[in-house]
């Protein structure tokens, strides 16, 4: 579904990614952890080309994103993104946030898009907020709307970039619940998070990124049971003692 | 002979002055309409990734903001016809001047407002597959436009006052009309005072309308 080969990304002189290889199969949930600044967001942002890779190949749903012939807007609808800061459109109602993509990108008629939008809001438990503006919602509700907005394009995969990091602790659960539901339904997901509980419970694979490379790539049991990598041990120690 | 204030002159000159005020309003509204289009284009060009596009907009903005409007008006109305041999009607020249002049200031308003929108907004737009243009159209511009309203209102007031400079090229706007009345009745005190009051009435109305608009926008959500 998503294949990354030998991905390099630099910002000026700063080499952030130094040869990342990652193959995510359809239906897999891959959790990425790693220290702040290690390039986790950059990996996700290269997948939908919000950042242009310096070199390497990325194939999403069979499309080579580096190929100038590829319609990148189309690829983005197949691997949508959920951001740490939600990035809801503040001038639109919740429902309009959700149906903008279907209407403008997919060409869905407004009534059909509204039906789909309400269905998705219902799924994330926010059907009653359809007519509200984002500023009237809590952080957890905002993020659930953002998830509905990504789902509205009926993507093949969703990229989550620390979806719960901006939330008050008591609001984290409601967002993780929605994500777990998606995982159970077979959605392909790449999730950057510090929520180790989520990783253990939901992930098919957990990946540790550090110093621009994937250091560990294993199923959660192996990953957490025997962290051989000293930097990973150190990192897990910090995250666990932190939470 | 001592000066004697004659309020009746003010009342008598008012109908003619109102005719001039009408021209002032036409110049301002027409000029700002085209000025906004120019400013929007130049403002977006200023944000372009292409160096030459940015540069081109920069030259326009700097050269207009760096020269007096009076010079621009005289150049367009007297200078250009001399070179090209065509005469532009004064009213048309007036609207062009206001457009080109306000456009340079509006460009900076547009650029600033668009830049002030969190980049996360356009990233979110792009991430659901909107094109660059659609992202601007549906996500960035509606938010940026709200932020443009106060400075645009301010520009409205500035441009309205600037139209008085167009008397130099013979546009029959408010101040020119006052001037013509004074040429006949020599009551400069009353007539120019009335002119000033009419300008004030117009600028205060704009300011008031703006306040109401801002309030309404606020209620409609951010
Ligand atoms: N647009 C950018 N320009 C310059 N440097 C950037 C940019 N985006 C990220 N970086 C740098 O790249 C590194 C990795 O960033 P990021 O991928 O956001 O890390 P993480 O998500 O793991 O915290 C950081 O040092 C960050 O400062
Ligand atoms: Mg990050």
């Amino acid at each position: 579904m998503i294949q990354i080969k030998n991905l390099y990304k630099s910002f000026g002189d700063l080499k952030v990614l130094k040869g990342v290889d990652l193959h995510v199969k359809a239906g897999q949930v891959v959790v990425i952890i790693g220290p702040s600044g290690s390039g986790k967001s950059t990996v996700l942002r290269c997948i939908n080309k919000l950042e242009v890779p310096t070199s390497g190949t990325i194939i999403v749903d069979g499309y080579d994103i580096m190929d100038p012939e590829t319609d990148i807007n189309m690829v983005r609808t197949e691997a949508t993104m959920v951001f740490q800061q939600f990035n809801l459109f503040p001038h639109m109602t919740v429902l309009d946030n959700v149906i903008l993509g279907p209407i403008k990108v997919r060409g869905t008629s407004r009534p059909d898009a509204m039906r789909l939008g309400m269905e998705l809001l219902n799924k994330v438990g926010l059907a009653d907020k359809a007519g509200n503006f984002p500023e009237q919602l809590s952080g957890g509700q905002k993020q659930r709307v953002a998830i509905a907005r990504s789902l509205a394009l009926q993507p093949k995969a969703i990229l989550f970039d620390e979806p719960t990091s901006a939330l008050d602790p008591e609001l984290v659960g409601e967002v993780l619940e929605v994500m777990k539901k998606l995982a159970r339904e077979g959605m392909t997901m790449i999730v950057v998070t510090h929520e180790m509980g989520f990783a253990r419970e939901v992930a098919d694979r957990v990946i540790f990124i550090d110093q621009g490379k994937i250091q560990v790539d294993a199923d959660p049991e192996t990953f957490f049971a025997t962290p051989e990598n000293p930097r990973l041990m150190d990192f897990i120690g910090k995250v666990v003692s932190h939470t | 002979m001592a000066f004697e204030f004659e309020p009746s002159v003010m009342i008598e000159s008012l109908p003619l002055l109102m005719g001039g005020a009408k021209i002032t309003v036409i110049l301002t509204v027409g000029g700002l309409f085209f000025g906004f289009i120019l400013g929007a284009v130049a403002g977006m060009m200023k944000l372009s990734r292409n160096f030459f596009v940015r540069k081109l907009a920069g030259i326009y903005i700097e050269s207009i903001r760096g020269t007096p409007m009076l010079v621009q008006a005289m150049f367009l109305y007297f200078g250009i016809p001399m070179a090209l041999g065509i005469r532009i009607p004064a009213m048309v020249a007036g609207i062009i001047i206001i457009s080109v002049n306000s456009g340079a200031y509006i460009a900076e308003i547009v650029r600033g407002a668009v830049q002030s929108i969190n980049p996360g907004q356009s990233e979110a737009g792009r991430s659901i597959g909107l094109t660059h243009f659609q992202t601007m159209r549906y996500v960035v511009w509606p938010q940026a436009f709200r932020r443009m309203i106060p400075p645009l209102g301010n520009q409205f007031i500035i441009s309205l006052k600037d139209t008085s400079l167009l008397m130099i090229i013979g546009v029959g706007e408010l101040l020119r009309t006052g001037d013509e009345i004074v040429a006949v009745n020599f009551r400069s005190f009353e007539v120019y005072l009335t002119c000033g009051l009419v300008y004030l009435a117009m600028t205060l109305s704009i300011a008031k309308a703006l306040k109401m608009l801002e309030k309404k926008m606020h209620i409609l959500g951010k």
Side-chain angles (χ1 to χ4, degrees):
Chain A
M1 172 68 225
I2 295 172
Q3 268 171 291
I4 303 176
K5 277 187 212 136
N6 215 17
L7 172 65
Y8 282 77
K9 173 67 185 173
S10 309
F11 295 104
D13 289 337
L14 180 69
K15 293 193 173 77
V16 177
L17 302 179
K18 304 171 203 164
V20 168
D21 291 281
L22 178 62
H23 184 181
V24 180
K25 295 202 185 78
Q28 269 191 338
V29 177
V30 174
V31 165
I32 300 179
I33 66 172
S36 168
S38 57
K40 305 179 298 293
S41 299
T42 305
V43 172
L44 290 193
R45 294 163 59 84
C46 282
I47 294 173
N48 68 356
K49 222 177 174 182
L50 283 182
E51 301 289 356
V52 181
T54 305
S55 69
T57 352
I58 299 180
I59 313 279
V60 178
D61 190 32
Y63 295 95
D64 178 356
I65 69 151
M66 300 291 272
D67 182 349
E69 300 280 292
T70 301
D71 176 3
I72 190 65
N73 297 318
M74 204 269 303
V75 175
R76 285 179 178 143
T77 63
E78 298 302 345
T80 53
M81 188 169 235
V82 172
F83 300 87
Q84 180 175 351
Q85 298 298 338
F86 329 123
N87 295 342
L88 291 181
F89 308 133
H91 58 298
M92 293 181 192
T93 63
V94 161
L95 183 60
D96 283 337
N97 264 272
V98 176
I99 67 179
L100 182 68
I103 291 177
K104 299 299 172 195
V105 181
R106 294 275 194 234
T108 312
S109 73
R110 201 175 165 85
D112 284 350
M114 284 174 75
R115 213 170 301 126
L116 169 71
M118 287 311 297
E119 205 176 286
L120 292 172
L121 286 175
N122 201 32
K123 182 171 188 162
V124 299
L126 290 170
D128 56 326
K129 302 286 185 196
N132 288 59
F133 282 89
E135 68 176 350
Q136 298 165 311
L137 305 184
S138 73
Q141 292 172 330
K142 282 183 193 159
Q143 196 59 299
R144 286 186 281 152
V145 172
I147 293 173
R149 179 176 68 180
S150 327
L151 284 171
L153 290 138
Q154 300 176 305
K156 297 207 171 73
I158 303 185
L159 314 169
F160 292 86
D161 192 357
E162 303 205 32
T164 58
S165 297
L167 300 178
D168 293 336
E170 71 272 18
L171 302 176
V172 168
E174 61 190 62
V175 173
L176 291 181
E177 274 318 307
V178 170
M179 291 169 62
K180 284 177 195 168
K181 187 150 74 172
L182 293 180
R184 278 197 299 275
E185 289 172 4
M187 177 60 80
T188 310
M189 296 162 61
I190 304 183
V191 185
V192 173
T193 184
H194 295 298
E195 294 294 328
M196 297 302 162
F198 178 84
R200 266 177 220 273
E201 191 183 333
V202 184
D204 297 298
R205 282 158 66 196
V206 185
I207 281 169
F208 177 61
I209 283 194
D210 191 22
Q211 297 174 323
K213 282 188 177 169
I214 292 183
Q215 307 285 354
V216 182
D217 179 348
D219 63 275
E221 243 152 83
T222 324
F223 188 95
F224 291 109
T226 53
E228 294 150 16
N229 184 305
R231 291 184 62 95
L232 173 57
M233 261 172 75
D234 187 47
F235 178 73
I236 292 180
K238 273 191 199 132
V239 172
V240 172
S241 64
H242 196 76
T243 45
Chain B
M1 203 182 83
F3 170 73
E4 236 175 90
F5 179 46
E6 286 184 34
S8 62
V9 173
M10 295 178 71
I11 309 216
E12 282 157 20
S13 57
L14 205 54
L16 273 176
L17 289 178
M18 289 316 278
K22 204 168 115 191
I23 303 289
T24 292
V25 170
I26 293 172
L27 285 166
T28 310
V29 172
L32 280 178
F33 175 79
F34 294 109
F36 183 73
I37 296 173
L38 262 176
V41 171
M44 294 312 282
M45 283 170 69
K46 206 77 210 287
L47 293 170
S48 163
R49 279 197 215 166
N50 187 308
F51 174 81
F52 291 100
V53 172
R54 272 202 316 272
K55 200 76 198 159
L56 197 67
I59 291 171
Y60 160 59
I61 294 167
E62 297 310 324
S63 52
I64 293 300
R65 300 209 312 175
T67 54
M69 198 178 98
L70 203 49
V71 174
Q72 295 158 17
M74 292 178 77
F75 179 72
L76 179 77
Y77 191 67
F78 301 117
I80 300 239
M82 188 186 163
L84 300 182
I86 39 161
R87 236 190 147 67
I88 314 163
M91 195 64 191
V92 175
I95 289 183
I96 293 176
I97 290 300
I98 298 293
S99 310
V100 170
N101 192 273
S102 66
Y105 291 92
I106 292 172
E108 289 295 294
I109 294 173
V110 168
R111 186 190 57 77
V114 168
Q115 258 179 341
S116 76
I117 303 302
N118 186 331
Q121 287 291 308
S122 51
E123 287 185 356
R126 301 310 301 271
S127 80
I128 55 171
L130 298 176
T131 62
H132 176 73
F133 182 79
Q134 287 176 320
T135 304
M136 283 292 154
R137 165 83 180 72
Y138 301 110
V139 177
V140 177
W141 264 79
Q143 297 180 58
F145 190 71
R146 281 163 201 232
R147 294 192 188 177
M148 288 178 211
I149 288 173
L152 279 180
N154 198 36
Q155 183 60 44
F156 199 149
I157 290 171
I158 292 171
S159 288
L160 185 129
K161 292 188 295 181
D162 279 353
T163 57
S164 64
L165 294 171
L166 296 170
M167 74 177 288
I168 202 76
I169 61 167
V171 178
E173 44 66 61
L174 176 52
L175 183 59
R176 170 98 186 183
T177 309
D179 214 39
E180 282 164 1
I181 297 172
V182 171
V184 175
N185 68 6
F186 304 107
R187 299 303 307 186
S188 44
F189 183 88
E190 289 85 356
V191 175
Y192 290 136
L193 178 64
T194 315
C195 278
L197 290 174
V198 176
Y199 277 115
L200 191 63
M202 291 194 285
T203 53
L204 288 178
S205 315
I206 298 169
K208 179 92 188 154
L210 207 70
K211 275 240 170 64
M212 277 159 58
L213 189 63
E214 275 175 57
K215 215 176 241 162
K216 203 164 160 193
M217 283 294 202
H218 196 76
I219 293 165
L220 279 175
K222 268 204 294 204

